Amino acid sequence: MSMFCYQCQEAAGCKGCTNRGVCGKTDDVANLQDLLIYTIKGISLYAINYEHIDDITERVNKFIIDGLFSTITNANFDKVIFVEKIKKGLAIREEVKEALLKEGKNIENIKHDSALWMESTLEEFEEKAKSVGILSTENEDVRSLRELLIYGVKGMAAYAEHAYNLGYTNNEIVTFMKKALASTTDDTLTVDEMVGIVLECGKYGVDVMALLDKANTETYGNPEITKVNIGVGSNPGILISGHDLKDMEELLKQTEGTGVDVYTHSEMLPANYYPAFKKYEHFVGNYGNAWWKQNEEFESFNGPILMTTNCIVPPKESYKDRIYTTGSAGFEGVKHISDRVDGKAKNFSEIIEHAKKCKSPVEIEKGEIVGGFAHNQVLALADKVVDAVKSGAIKRFFVMAGCDGRMKSRNYYTDFAKALPKDTVILTAGCAKYKYNKLDLGDIGGIPRVLDAGQCNDSYSLAVIALKLKEVFGLNDINELPISYNIAWYEQKAVIVLLALLHLGVKNIHLGPTLPAFLSPNVAKVLVDNFGIAGIGSVEDDIKLFMGEE
Ligand code: SF4
Ligand code: SF3
């Protein structure tokens, strides 16, 4: 065993990747990611004692958020970047420590090795990484609770970073992240205390998604019902993938009038629903499907591709020179567009010049898909929706948010969507939608049977919709609504979405295509007993169960 990682749904054998990730992550990168997390825990141990909101806190917060985000599945595969981050992290840790000493704080009780170790060469880092990985926590239940918390916090970090990029921050959220990370070094916590912090994580999950929703909608307007073109134009194009809307905005501005078109890919599709982006004539539409098909679709796109976040699939040599990363994303040997300096926009001129020399994209699909049903738009249709429920035209809603992935067993979600009774509506968000957003499922009195709220973080919208319906129907409990939750997960953002839903009191969520490898049998039992979490079965049986026919 040269590494151990079990943070995503593809963990080898539903247990963990031990030599190379199924995602393509090499053992050296996996180990350096472990060491980066360890370094962030050390920073957190000091930072929870530093109460000032000043430039030190700003640097610490930014480092923690970006560091965590870069370790999310399929975000960053670049060894050099992780070495740099660890070095920077150690320097930041020492800076906070110094600041605490200066103000006379007693830090002698901070004795955990993550707060004390200090090395500087790659060889030393690699040696150190061997002793700080996930398996260094021996008790499998403690390990499970700690990792569940860390993955929730990673997802939270991703959303916090997008909000931060738009100028929206909330110190309480980052303070919780530090507290949570520090808690994973504390051997004195009881199981109940650890479960408590995991559930508290869900509260901050709701907060961070609300913050990002505010950032996105105040900056770019409320998403509105939109028909998105999935065909191509005749100009060369740039394909933009990932979740960062600030990158989207700057790319659209800088490409205007250059003769280069812009297309979204995978989780960037919802950018098409925002008024501020729709106005650009050279914003053609969406190209391709969910992340895992990129090996074929990036080939035929012909132009450069900008990855603003996860999910990157290790690129084929044939198009590797057309891939650019930015933000927390990275891949060895791929060009990285650097961060904003002094509030100025990123410089996308290199990718734009590159695009001009490329052929236009090959058409792989034609037609349109419909989306933009975030909370504001759905609430504008509330009367229609409520009437449809009252009249029995809509019997049940199915929240099918989350992630897509390459496992064949995920065809379950396509089959499930097809097999649902015609008087049901799917509420979706995240890249999970690609399993059914191109099926012709029709509508119910003008309400489409698949309502796409947006990116995975827009699951928040689905929760807002559910809470509104609860109010309209005068119910006491969100679980009395005719809504079932059949969620597909892949990476750690889905973990924070799940914890957020649990915090809102949602019960009986079904999670697939497999349950997380990081849930020990005892921790899984806590989730089953308290929240009715379950896996998936056959399409037929599950539909009967959800429709109350069993
Ligand atoms: Fe394996 Fe997933 Fe970890 Fe990649 S992120 S190494 S696929 S568990
Ligand atoms: Fe997808 Fe990677 Fe999770 Fe944002 S892009 S949902 S998997």
Side-chain angles (χ1 to χ4, degrees):
M1 187 188 292
S2 57
M3 62 176 271
F4 185 79
C5 179
Y6 65 174
Q7 67 175 354
C8 86
Q9 189 271 327
E10 280 189 321
C14 278
K15 287 201 161 64
C17 300
T18 52
N19 289 311
R20 185 190 170 90
V22 174
C23 60
K25 183 162 77 177
T26 52
D27 52 2
D28 50 355
V29 170
N31 295 335
L32 288 169
Q33 288 186 353
D34 288 345
L35 189 59
L36 175 59
I37 296 292
Y38 193 66
T39 308
I40 294 174
K41 289 180 186 179
I43 298 172
S44 299
L45 281 166
Y46 292 112
I48 50 174
N49 294 292
Y50 190 74
E51 280 145 11
H52 310 278
I53 311 238
D54 57 7
D55 56 330
I56 296 182
T57 298
E58 162 93 14
R59 267 198 296 285
V60 167
N61 291 359
K62 189 152 192 323
F63 181 82
I64 292 179
I65 288 172
D66 175 64
L68 290 166
F69 193 175
S70 66
T71 68
I72 281 184
T73 303
N74 292 338
N76 201 315
F77 296 80
D78 193 338
K79 186 172 171 176
V80 178
I81 289 184
F82 286 106
V83 172
E84 277 168 14
K85 281 191 198 296
I86 294 165
K87 286 186 180 162
K88 193 172 165 194
L90 290 173
I92 285 183
R93 191 192 74 194
E94 294 309 296
E95 191 185 354
V96 193
K97 190 171 156 185
E98 283 302 312
L100 287 171
L101 283 173
K102 235 187 226 161
E103 59 180 57
K105 284 243 167 97
N106 179 6
I107 54 168
E108 303 232 311
N109 56 342
I110 303 174
K111 291 206 176 81
H112 192 266
D113 176 67
S114 63
L116 306 174
W117 77 283
M118 182 55 81
E119 313 278 8
S120 55
T121 67
L122 172 62
E123 293 70 34
E124 287 167 337
F125 286 173
E126 287 182 331
E127 194 52 37
K128 181 74 188 168
K130 286 184 193 160
S131 62
V132 305
I134 293 160
L135 297 178
S136 62
T137 303
E138 278 166 25
N139 180 304
E140 77 164 346
D141 298 327
V142 174
R143 187 193 307 148
S144 176
L145 285 166
R146 285 181 179 171
E147 294 304 320
L148 171 58
L149 180 60
I150 290 172
Y151 303 151
V153 170
K154 285 188 185 193
M156 203 184 281
Y159 297 151
E161 179 151 308
H162 298 310
Y164 177 91
N165 290 343
L166 294 174
Y168 289 71
T169 54
N170 175 341
N171 261 307
E172 280 178 28
I173 293 171
V174 200
T175 301
F176 172 78
M177 291 165 77
K178 293 173 203 164
K179 177 184 127 177
L181 291 161
S183 81
T184 65
T185 66
D186 187 349
D187 292 330
T188 67
L189 292 179
T190 63
V191 165
D192 282 352
E193 285 168 331
M194 285 187 278
V195 170
I197 304 173
V198 168
L199 298 181
E200 197 184 353
C201 187
K203 177 205 176 293
Y204 289 98
V206 175
D207 289 354
V208 78
M209 283 192 270
L211 179 73
L212 181 53
D213 180 78
K214 188 168 150 62
N216 287 341
T217 55
E218 286 186 355
T219 314
Y220 303 119
N222 273 297
E224 41 195 46
I225 303 177
T226 307
K227 285 186 178 153
V228 180
N229 172 30
I230 55 172
V232 299
S234 53
N235 292 331
I238 295 174
L239 189 59
I240 173 168
S241 190
H243 304 68
D244 197 275
L245 296 188
K246 182 75 180 170
D247 289 335
M248 181 75 199
E249 178 193 354
E250 291 178 351
L251 182 67
L252 281 171
K253 277 191 183 148
Q254 293 176 34
T255 42
E256 202 172 16
T258 61
V260 172
D261 288 339
V262 172
Y263 295 78
T264 53
H265 170 257
S266 191
E267 273 285 73
M268 198 55 90
L269 159 65
N272 287 277
Y273 313 152
Y274 286 89
F277 301 141
K278 287 163 81 163
K279 65 176 191 218
Y280 290 96
E281 276 177 22
H282 66 296
F283 182 14
V284 177
N286 189 71
Y287 189 84
N289 293 279
W291 64 273
W292 59 276
K293 287 197 173 161
Q294 66 189 249
N295 274 166
E296 294 148 46
E297 295 174 350
F298 285 2
E299 194 94 65
S300 61
F301 184 73
N302 287 334
I305 299 122
L306 176 64
M307 305 297 302
T308 67
T309 66
N310 57 317
C311 278
I312 304 173
V313 172
K316 288 197 209 160
E317 284 306 318
S318 56
Y319 66 79
K320 191 171 178 183
D321 67 331
R322 286 193 276 118
I323 303 271
Y324 291 75
T325 59
T326 192
S328 302
F331 198 93
E332 223 159 319
V334 156
K335 286 180 216 90
H336 187 81
I337 294 174
S338 45
D339 276 348
R340 297 175 186 91
V341 182
D342 299 331
K344 288 201 204 92
K346 287 184 184 174
N347 182 355
F348 291 122
S349 56
E350 190 180 350
I351 187 167
I352 297 168
E353 287 313 307
H354 189 159
K356 287 181 185 166
K357 295 185 209 113
C358 296
K359 284 192 281 183
S360 60
V362 173
E363 188 156 84
I364 50 175
E365 289 170 301
K366 258 198 177 106
E368 288 170 332
I369 47 178
V370 185
F373 297 93
H375 55 88
N376 191 67
Q377 182 65 78
V378 175
L379 298 184
L381 296 171
D383 290 347
K384 215 171 167 181
V385 174
V386 169
D387 286 350
V389 175
K390 283 188 177 153
S391 72
I394 296 180
K395 274 235 172 54
R396 186 158 276 277
F397 296 93
F398 284 84
V399 170
M400 292 176 72
C403 310
D404 197 10
R406 58 198 136 202
M407 270 189 177
K408 286 237 159 52
S409 56
R410 285 182 185 262
N411 290 336
Y412 162 93
Y413 295 102
T414 308
D415 298 341
F416 186 90
K418 281 187 191 161
L420 276 174
K422 299 274 173 282
D423 50 9
T424 58
V425 169
I426 296 173
L427 303 173
T428 191
C431 64
K433 66 170 84 56
Y434 285 98
K435 278 283 184 273
Y436 36 79
N437 68 346
K438 292 171 184 170
L439 301 174
D440 185 12
L441 297 178
D443 64 83
I444 300 176
I447 302 167
R449 288 198 50 234
V450 179
L451 301 182
D452 175 24
Q455 298 178 331
C456 46
N457 45 289
D458 295 309
S459 301
Y460 169 74
S461 250
L462 305 181
V464 171
I465 295 166
L467 291 169
K468 184 73 191 168
L469 288 176
K470 179 184 122 183
E471 186 190 310
V472 172
F473 288 110
L475 303 172
N476 296 320
D477 184 344
I478 200 167
N479 296 297
E480 290 168 24
L481 285 166
I483 304 182
S484 301
Y485 294 78
N486 196 3
I487 290 184
W489 82 286
Y490 174 65
E491 34 79 27
Q492 298 76 53
K493 296 184 204 178
V495 177
I496 193 61
V497 170
L498 177 73
L499 293 177
L501 290 175
L502 297 185
H503 172 74
L504 292 171
V506 176
K507 297 242 157 57
N508 304 321
I509 296 172
H510 287 243
L511 193 63
T514 53
L515 287 180
F518 55 81
L519 293 181
S520 68
N522 286 331
V523 173
K525 191 170 178 314
V526 170
L527 295 178
V528 171
D529 291 350
N530 293 299
F531 300 101
I533 299 260
I536 56 170
S538 74
V539 167
E540 220 185 21
D541 291 349
D542 286 355
I543 289 183
K544 272 193 199 149
L545 183 75
F546 285 125
M547 297 302 288
E549 291 162 13
E550 239 176 29

